[in-house]
Amino acid sequence: MTETITSRPVRTGPSASPALGGLGLFTVLLGAALPLVDFFIVNVALPTIGADLSADEAVLELVVAGYGVAYAVLLVLGGRLGDLFGRRRLFLGGMAAFGLTSLACGLAPDAWSLVAARVAQGASAAAMLPQVLATIQATTTGPRRAKAMSLYGATAGLSMVAGQILGGVLVAADIAGTGWRSVFLVNVPVVLVGLFLAARAVPETRSAHPEPVDVPGTFLLAASILTLLVPLTEGRAAGWPLWTWLSLAAFPFAAAAFYAVERRADRAGRTPLVPPSLFAIVSLRRGLLLIVPFSIGFSGFMFVIAVALQQGAGLGPVAAGLALAPLAVVFFLFSLAGPRLVARYGTRVVPVGAALQGVGLALMTLAAWRSWPDLGLVELLPGAAVAGAGQALQLPVVLRVVLSEVPAVRAGVGGGVMVTTQQASLALGVATLGTLFLSLVPGMGMRDALVTTLLVQLAGVALTGLLSLRLPRTIA
């Protein structure tokens, strides 16, 4: 008999942690979807935003990067604060702030106001999202946890594709004359529903032995991420001024200082922001290593294809968004089958997924080479469908692997580390593959630049396939 998730939170004993019911799981997954949707929802809206607010390319890149960098910098801190003050409390506060900052984005009078609101929105997401994984880890066990983590992985992957599709539809719909603003305003009613449900269905949990905030570690992690992502994101549009090179040169020193401070705190018996001892867990270490190239390739592809289809192939925002609909549909269907495949074959499904993703990406590359500029839904459909199946066999499984052996007492820290790695890699993908593509366009033309960038991503897919061979065969 298969185990089902009940619709109400229950306690398994007088001293047991409250269990996460079906409605509570739906609510935290809604909270997980919102930040990822908003990372990608602006991709197809950028041309309209630029025209309406008279924003140049460097400012438009900040609309994307400001959100992603603030989100990545504060995620681990958000997990620690949830452990300290209560995960439900941080989830509610983060979601409320996300709704308010989304409203600020939708009402922004100029480009720089939009950038500031996006930074605040990213910070709000960083308070909300780590509580999702920590709550799942703290309130579920056994098959219930496996099912919840599979649904989390499916939600994460689907949100990234659905965000881009939804963005195109909303911009074209121009609801009540709001145009691009609707991609942010749509969050407000969703957040109100989420807050109502969370207040009723999400149980409160916190670490049994919470540690104070690691202030030096927080600042050094922020410095490490900022010195890497900001120059890579803004460098090309700004003409690679001196500050970008100085920032990149400072990155290894900031990262080394962060590691030294965290290791010293760990050895002293304190709990640093990112405990180096956490990486002694083989499943976490190897899973995180795989997440990096996967996420870089995923976000880079989504950004590049949105630009290529609109500026090169001449598609509108709806057509550009819907061109990836087959990827989203197939991803969803294969995500549903994922838990059964993992139960039968273990993590061997991950290299199979990498192979399928590689085939799908190769088919899309061939379609771009042969059909340009007539590239759209029909031409991309076979490759997008195969790639969607491959991604669904990788992402949900790897996310389960990463947290499978993390102790419940470190649920917030483990979830924060994983999501920070994923989010920083997503931002890095836009910065690196996006910069590569846009740099190649003037000399090679749009088609050849797209093909070259897709081939670079294909090499990244091959790397994820090789790394997946080192994953533990079974998930604890």
Side-chain angles (χ1 to χ4, degrees):
M1 181 181 295
T2 58
E3 183 173 358
T4 58
I5 296 179
T6 58
S7 61
R8 296 175 62 83
V10 296
R11 288 185 181 272
T12 57
S15 60
S17 296
L20 186 67
L23 185 59
L25 178 60
F26 170 81
T27 306
V28 295
L29 291 180
L30 178 64
L34 281 171
L36 287 170
V37 166
D38 266 62
F39 184 86
F40 290 93
I41 200 169
V42 299
N43 281 349
V44 293
L46 287 176
T48 311
I49 293 173
D52 188 39
L53 299 182
S54 301
D56 61 25
E57 189 176 345
V59 176
L60 288 177
E61 288 187 358
L62 280 176
V63 172
V64 178
Y67 175 87
V69 171
Y71 188 17
V73 163
L74 297 172
L75 271 165
V76 180
L77 178 61
R80 173 62 61 81
L81 293 176
D83 288 349
L84 187 62
F85 296 110
R87 292 152 188 155
R88 177 177 176 271
R89 181 180 298 178
L90 261 290
F91 182 80
L92 286 167
M95 180 173 277
F98 191 84
L100 291 173
T101 52
S102 296
L103 181 62
C105 289
L107 299 179
D110 54 60
W112 285 108
S113 297
L114 177 59
V115 170
R118 282 284 281 174
V119 171
Q121 189 187 33
S124 302
M128 174 173 59
L129 187 60
Q131 318 317 325
V132 174
L133 287 167
T135 298
I136 290 173
Q137 289 289 96
T139 59
T140 60
T141 58
R144 291 168 59 85
R145 180 180 294 177
K147 182 175 182 179
M149 285 302 300
S150 295
L151 289 172
Y152 173 85
T155 300
L158 189 60
S159 298
M160 291 188 278
V161 183
Q164 200 142 310
I165 297 172
L166 180 62
V169 171
L170 288 173
V171 170
D174 193 22
I175 301 169
T178 55
W180 60 267
R181 298 178 186 273
S182 61
V183 304
F184 302 112
L185 296 176
V186 71
N187 291 332
V188 177
V190 176
V191 163
L192 291 175
V193 172
L195 289 172
F196 174 77
L197 295 178
R200 298 189 58 188
V202 176
E204 181 64 282
T205 63
R206 67 184 69 201
S207 174
H209 305 286
E211 294 284 343
V213 172
D214 174 14
V215 176
T218 299
F219 278 106
L220 286 171
L221 177 62
S224 301
I225 293 175
L226 289 170
T227 53
L228 176 65
L229 291 182
V230 172
L232 287 177
T233 303
E234 288 295 297
R236 186 198 60 83
W240 296 106
L242 179 61
W243 71 263
T244 59
W245 298 109
L246 293 175
S247 180
L248 288 172
F251 165 70
F253 296 99
F258 171 68
Y259 177 74
V261 166
E262 299 299 274
R263 184 177 61 176
R264 187 180 306 116
D266 210 11
R267 289 178 173 178
R270 301 191 300 272
T271 302
L273 190 70
V274 179
S277 59
L278 198 65
F279 294 93
I281 302 173
V282 174
S283 55
L284 179 138
R285 185 174 68 249
R286 294 181 179 177
L288 290 179
L289 192 61
L290 193 152
I291 283 175
V292 172
F294 180 91
S295 299
I296 287 174
F298 193 102
S299 63
F301 167 79
M302 298 294 285
F303 177 81
V304 166
I305 202 70
V307 174
L309 291 178
Q310 291 187 91
Q311 297 184 7
L315 300 184
V318 173
L322 291 179
L324 298 177
L327 193 154
V329 172
V330 176
F331 184 100
F332 175 72
L333 295 176
F334 271 71
S335 294
L336 297 178
R340 293 182 181 179
L341 293 173
V342 171
R344 183 169 182 179
Y345 300 107
T347 59
R348 285 174 290 184
V349 301
V350 179
V352 173
L356 284 174
Q357 184 187 2
V359 170
L361 191 60
L363 289 173
M364 286 189 280
T365 304
L366 182 62
W369 176 263
R370 296 178 58 182
S371 303
W372 190 266
D374 300 318
L375 192 65
L377 172 63
V378 174
E379 292 77 19
L380 292 174
L381 191 153
V386 175
Q391 290 170 341
L393 294 179
Q394 294 176 83
L395 183 60
V397 181
V398 174
L399 296 183
R400 280 181 61 189
V401 168
V402 170
L403 295 180
S404 61
E405 297 179 279
V406 175
V409 70
R410 286 187 162 183
V413 176
V417 169
M418 185 186 78
V419 181
T420 297
T421 302
Q422 182 187 25
Q423 183 58 41
S425 301
L426 290 174
L428 191 58
V430 174
T432 53
L433 290 179
T435 296
L436 172 66
F437 170 70
L438 294 173
S439 299
L440 292 176
V441 168
M444 300 179 67
M446 189 74 73
R447 184 196 71 168
D448 290 352
L450 175 61
V451 169
T452 301
T453 306
L454 292 179
L455 290 175
V456 171
Q457 189 199 347
L458 192 58
V461 173
L463 177 60
T464 62
L466 292 174
L467 291 173
S468 69
L469 297 175
R470 303 187 71 241
L471 292 175
R473 288 297 184 191
T474 58
I475 301 176

